[in-house]
């Protein structure tokens, strides 16, 4: 035994015994306990050093971030913030189902064996919408052989032909792989005809009827009276209705609008099913909810938990027994977050979203291929999509723990905030006469439009960064070519739009990149390299977000070939040289001169300032309008909802 080993020797020799574990383990050691007030003082000091003289009280409001309509997150959470919420969340598999609909061993759900999950994980569902029957059949075979456990088929114009369902599914063992349809009554009828007389279909499938989503997309009122009849014809263990909340998310709504509208749609379908003769408990079992999962990891986790609480409350108010009130959740990676430019970054976004969906307790997860915004995905993109789930389930063992985020003060508080805000929006829709009436009156469109405007404002100022588009763009990239994809619910003039967070920047960039040679901005550097590099990099990144090349040059050197310049240097260099340099640039032919730095620098002779938080879309609109050849400056289309000024 080493002379420094203080463990007691075992009787009779042998290795020394391990010391007894202490009754209390003080993780912070002998450090004095810190208070919230001490933390606030430290935060205030840092903010003041950063130039923030006017600070709110309490100071953490300066660091609060909006994650949904009416919901913000704070920079610090303690047990006081969560209160009794962790205890009120219950346990997995029991009301209010905040902690998940699954209980105990994997494969068991509160709703019973009919909706049992795949062993040791969730249902991995892949979407197929390719009208080429041979390609779709081949893609389905590859998916099912490599980890996918159920199929999502988009049926109709521009997608899988209804009359080809038999051929598309010819090689699918329908007793093992459930199918969910999207295409309305015609798709459901085609499938029911195909499987007529069969009693061996795998449970967990869905006929996919969702007339209110059709109304939301087209503005045309829909008939809900036939839902109960189709429910009675559905195969055993199947559901009839999909409550598709992604329609509202894809229109620009936050998770509050998505959850509230989904709850209102669910209630409308319950009314239609019970009026058609179904018991309310049976009607509850006919609904599957499709919700979006974004790269905002904790908001997605909390939203899925909040959604189950909302639906349990609806079931409780409707007289549904506790064991039948669990929400069946299908999480789909968000369409709003994906980009066309630098689409490879979408792999990272969908990985985070899939992780959040799994941690949030989704029963079914679909990862959209990284090239989904470009058109129909190729085999590589589908492989990456399914392997993302396989990695998280099989290698990351993500499904081995139920509700791993449960008990977190932050997650429990955010779950509660989202649930309260979504319930308030749901009740507002109900007071307006229900979702169908709220869609017709414009209440939903106005609310979602306001939420989208706030989001776009943050994107325009690059406070909501989009890697590969608003941050770190690759001006020389060549986008992969994809066959065009038809939208399952194409937007119509009277319906909700379909948006993406990056669309304004990408529209602007597409116009710029159509010009040869590509327009550029001269970055006029002053002072030593060590002093101008940071601001030159910032300016190049901002101009690159609009597709503009931005080479650097000392002073006026390199201005030839462009009429827009941006001065880049340090504050000390600006004090002596910025105003004279602006005059030199204009004398050399520059019609616009910008300065990389805040407006407080007040340099004479410049048209505007580039700084963190400036309206990048407004800046790019002015620059591009100046640089594009005459006749193209007004063909730019919308940027932040407005025409680019000439």
């Amino acid at each position: 035994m080493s002379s420094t080993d203080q463990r007691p020797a075992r009787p009779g020799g042998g290795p020394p015994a391990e010391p007894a574990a202490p009754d209390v383990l003080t993780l912070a050691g002998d450090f004095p306990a810190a208070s919230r007030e001490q933390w606030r003082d430290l935060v205030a000091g840092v903010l003041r050093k950063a130039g923030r003289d006017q600070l709110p009280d309490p100071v953490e409001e300066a660091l609060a971030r909006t994650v949904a309509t009416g919901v913000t997150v704070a920079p610090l959470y303690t047990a006081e913030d969560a209160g009794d919420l962790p205890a009120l969340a219950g346990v997995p598999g029991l009301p209010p189902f905040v902690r998940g609909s699954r209980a105990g061993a994997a494969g068991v759900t509160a709703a019973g064996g009919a909706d049992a999950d795949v062993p040791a994980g969730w249902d991995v569902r892949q979407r197929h919408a390719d009208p080429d029957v041979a390609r779709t059949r081949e893609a389905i075979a590859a998916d099912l052989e490599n980890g996918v456990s159920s199929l999502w088929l988009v049926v109709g114009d521009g997608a899988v032909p209804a009359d080809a369902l038999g051929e598309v599914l010819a090689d699918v063992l329908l007793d093992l792989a459930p199918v969910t349809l999207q295409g309305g009554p015609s798709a459901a009828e085609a499938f029911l005809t195909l499987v007529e007389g069969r009693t061996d279909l795998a449970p967990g499938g869905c006929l996919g009827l969702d007339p209110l989503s059709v109304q939301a997309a087209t503005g045309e009122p829909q008939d809900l009276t036939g839902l109960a009849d189709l429910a009675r014809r559905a195969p055993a263990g199947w559901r009839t209705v999909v409550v598709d909340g992604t329609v509202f998310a894809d229109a620009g709504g936050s998770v509050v609008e998505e959850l509230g509208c989904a709850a209102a749609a669910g209630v409308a379908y319950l009314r239609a099913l019970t009026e058609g003769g179904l018991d309310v408990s049976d009607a509850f079992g006919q609904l599957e909810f499709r919700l979006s999962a974004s790269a905002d990891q904790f908001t997605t986790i909390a939203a899925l938990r909040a959604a189950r609480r909302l639906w349990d409350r609806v079931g409780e108010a409707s007289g549904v027994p506790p064991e039948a009130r669990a929400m069946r959740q299908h999480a789909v990676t968000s369409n709003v977050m994906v980009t066309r430019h630098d689409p490879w970054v979408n792999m990272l976004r969908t990985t985070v979203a899939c992780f959040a969906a799994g941690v949030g307790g989704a029963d079914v997860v679909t990862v959209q291929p990284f090239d989904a915004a470009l058109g129909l995905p190729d085999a590589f993109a589908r492989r990456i999509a399914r392997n993302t789930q396989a990695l998280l389930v099989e290698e990351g063992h993500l499904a081995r723990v139920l509700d791993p985020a449960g008990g977190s003060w932050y997650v429990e508080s955010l779950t509660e905030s989202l649930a309260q805000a979504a319930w308030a929006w749901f009740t507002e829709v109900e007071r307006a006469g229900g979702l169908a009436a709220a869609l017709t009156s414009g209440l939903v469109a106005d609310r979602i439009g306001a939420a989208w405007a706030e989001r776009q404002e943050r994107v325009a100022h690059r406070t909501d960064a989009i890697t590969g588009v608003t941050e770190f763009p690759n001006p020389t990239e060549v986008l992969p070519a994809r066959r065009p994809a038809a939208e399952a619910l194409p937007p119509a003039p009277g319906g909700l739009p379909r948006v993406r967070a990056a669309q304004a920047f990408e529209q602007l960039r597409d116009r710029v990149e159509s010009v040869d040679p590509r327009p550029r901005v001269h970055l006029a550097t002053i002072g030593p390299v060590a002093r101008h590099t940071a601001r030159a990099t910032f300016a190049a990144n901002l101009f690159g977000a609009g597709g503009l090349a931005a080479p650097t040059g000392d002073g006026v050197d390199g201005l030839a070939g462009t009429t827009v310049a941006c001065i880049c240097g340090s504050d000390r260099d600006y004090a002596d040289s910025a105003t004279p340099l602006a005059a030199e640039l204009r004398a050399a032919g520059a019609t616009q001169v910008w300065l990389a730095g805040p407006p407080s620098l007040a340099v004479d002779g410049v048209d505007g300032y580039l700084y963190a938080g400036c309206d990048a879309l407004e800046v790019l609109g002015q620059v591009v309008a100046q640089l594009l050849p005459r006749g193209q400056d007004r063909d730019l289309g919308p940027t932040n909802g407005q025409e680019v000024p000439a």
Side-chain angles (χ1 to χ4, degrees):
M1 184 171 67
S2 167
S3 61
T4 60
D5 196 333
Q6 302 300 313
R7 293 177 295 177
R10 292 183 184 274
E18 294 292 336
D23 294 331
V24 178
L25 181 62
T26 306
L27 296 178
D30 296 325
F31 290 99
S35 68
R36 185 184 286 265
E37 288 305 319
Q38 289 175 306
W39 176 83
R40 285 172 172 165
D41 290 341
L42 292 172
V43 170
V46 172
L47 292 176
R48 289 192 181 97
K49 288 180 181 178
R52 298 283 297 273
D53 296 327
Q54 300 296 324
L55 297 178
D57 184 17
V59 70
E60 53 259 43
E61 291 182 4
L63 302 177
R65 182 172 65 90
T66 299
V67 296
T69 302
V71 178
T72 58
V73 294
L76 176 70
Y77 285 85
T78 67
E80 296 176 357
D81 298 300
D84 296 331
L85 293 177
L88 296 176
V91 297
L94 293 176
F97 301 105
V98 171
R99 304 202 64 192
S101 60
R102 288 171 285 181
V108 179
T109 67
D115 287 323
D117 301 312
V118 295
W122 54 80
D123 181 352
V124 178
R125 183 174 294 172
Q126 193 86 314
R127 182 179 185 271
H128 293 271
D130 193 335
D132 188 316
V133 174
R135 288 176 184 264
T136 298
R137 185 171 173 174
E138 180 182 353
I140 286 174
D143 283 342
L144 293 175
E145 290 171 1
N146 291 281
V148 168
S149 52
S150 70
L151 302 173
W152 172 9
L153 299 182
V154 182
V155 181
D157 294 340
V160 178
D163 57 5
L165 274 178
E167 184 179 354
V168 167
L169 297 173
D171 301 327
V172 178
L173 301 178
L174 294 176
D175 57 334
L176 298 177
V179 176
T180 288
L181 304 170
Q182 181 177 357
S186 60
E189 289 288 353
F191 184 81
L192 290 173
T193 301
L194 176 66
V195 301
E196 188 173 5
R198 292 188 59 169
T199 59
D200 63 339
L201 296 184
C206 185
L207 297 178
L209 300 177
D210 189 12
L212 288 175
S213 286
V214 177
Q215 179 177 347
T218 65
E220 297 294 331
Q222 302 294 307
D223 184 10
L224 277 61
T225 57
L227 295 179
D229 292 335
L230 279 171
R232 281 185 278 267
R233 296 170 55 196
W238 276 49
R239 297 175 186 250
T240 305
V241 176
V242 166
V243 182
D244 193 352
T246 67
V247 173
F248 307 101
D250 290 351
S254 74
V255 293
V256 168
E257 285 75 38
E258 181 181 12
L259 296 187
C261 287
V267 168
Y269 292 138
L270 289 180
R271 293 191 181 108
L273 290 167
T274 53
E275 289 171 1
L278 268 65
D279 176 81
V280 66
S281 296
D282 293 335
F284 240 68
Q286 290 297 315
L287 272 56
E288 176 176 282
F289 285 75
R290 183 178 297 147
L291 302 170
S292 61
S294 76
D296 188 341
Q297 174 180 299
F298 287 104
T299 300
T300 295
I301 293 170
L304 293 173
R305 300 171 90 247
R308 292 191 293 270
R309 181 184 171 194
L310 294 179
W311 195 236
D312 174 73
R313 180 67 186 95
V314 170
E316 182 183 19
S318 303
V320 179
E323 65 273 10
R325 298 203 300 253
M327 172 188 277
R328 171 80 168 172
Q329 286 182 339
H330 174 198
V332 183
T333 56
S334 169
N335 291 314
V336 179
M337 71 177 180
V338 298
T339 65
R340 288 190 299 104
H341 286 277
D342 208 347
W344 321 105
V345 183
N346 293 328
M347 297 183 197
L348 305 179
R349 298 185 181 101
T350 55
T351 298
V352 174
C354 181
F355 175 90
V359 171
D363 303 292
V364 187
V365 179
T366 295
V367 171
Q368 299 273 38
F370 72 88
D371 55 358
L374 294 170
L376 292 169
D378 66 0
F380 174 73
R382 288 193 303 271
R383 178 189 175 199
I384 293 296
R386 63 176 179 259
N387 282 356
T388 297
Q389 301 210 50
L391 187 149
L392 291 172
V393 173
E394 303 295 339
E395 297 186 39
H397 305 292
L398 194 62
R400 287 179 177 263
V401 181
L402 296 178
D403 191 33
S408 160
W409 301 323
Y410 171 35
V411 172
E412 297 293 0
S413 299
L414 182 55
T415 299
E416 175 70 8
S417 297
L418 291 175
Q420 293 291 347
W423 185 263
W425 169 234
F426 158 67
T427 55
E428 182 178 348
V429 171
E430 286 295 288
R431 287 194 301 270
L435 183 60
L439 287 168
T440 301
S441 69
L443 174 66
V444 172
D446 290 344
R447 169 73 177 245
I448 289 177
W452 177 237
E454 290 184 10
R455 173 77 183 277
Q456 279 294 85
E457 189 72 11
R458 297 194 298 271
V459 172
H461 288 79
R462 302 198 301 170
T463 52
D464 275 9
I466 305 175
T467 303
V469 177
T470 68
E471 304 291 334
F472 310 110
N474 178 9
T476 62
E477 71 176 331
V478 178
L479 298 180
R482 296 291 184 266
R483 292 178 296 132
E487 294 190 72
L489 289 172
L496 299 177
R498 287 177 63 89
V499 300
R500 291 183 301 106
Q503 67 185 28
F505 280 92
E506 290 186 332
Q507 289 169 358
L508 185 64
R509 182 169 166 179
D510 287 344
R511 294 293 187 176
V512 169
E513 292 180 351
S514 68
V515 177
D516 188 22
R518 180 177 302 186
R520 64 181 181 84
V521 175
H522 169 56
L523 300 186
T525 59
I526 54 177
V529 172
R531 293 211 296 259
H532 71 235
T533 295
R535 279 177 169 158
T537 301
F538 175 84
N541 190 43
L542 189 151
F543 290 123
L548 296 164
T552 60
D554 186 13
V556 298
D557 294 341
L559 178 64
T562 184
T563 58
V564 178
C566 179
I567 301 173
C568 302
S570 67
D571 289 0
R572 72 171 74 172
D573 297 314
Y574 290 161
D576 298 327
S577 307
T579 297
L581 178 56
E584 290 180 36
L585 289 167
R586 292 193 182 278
T591 56
Q592 280 188 10
V593 177
W594 299 83
L595 184 123
S600 59
L601 293 171
V603 173
D604 293 335
V606 299
D607 295 287
Y609 300 85
L610 310 185
Y611 54 95
C614 70
D615 191 329
L617 273 178
E618 181 180 352
V619 171
L620 290 171
Q622 294 183 41
V623 172
V624 170
Q626 175 66 38
L627 292 176
L628 283 190
R630 183 171 295 277
Q632 294 190 28
D633 53 357
R634 290 189 176 272
D635 289 334
L636 291 169
T639 52
N640 192 21
Q642 298 179 347
E643 183 184 24
V644 174

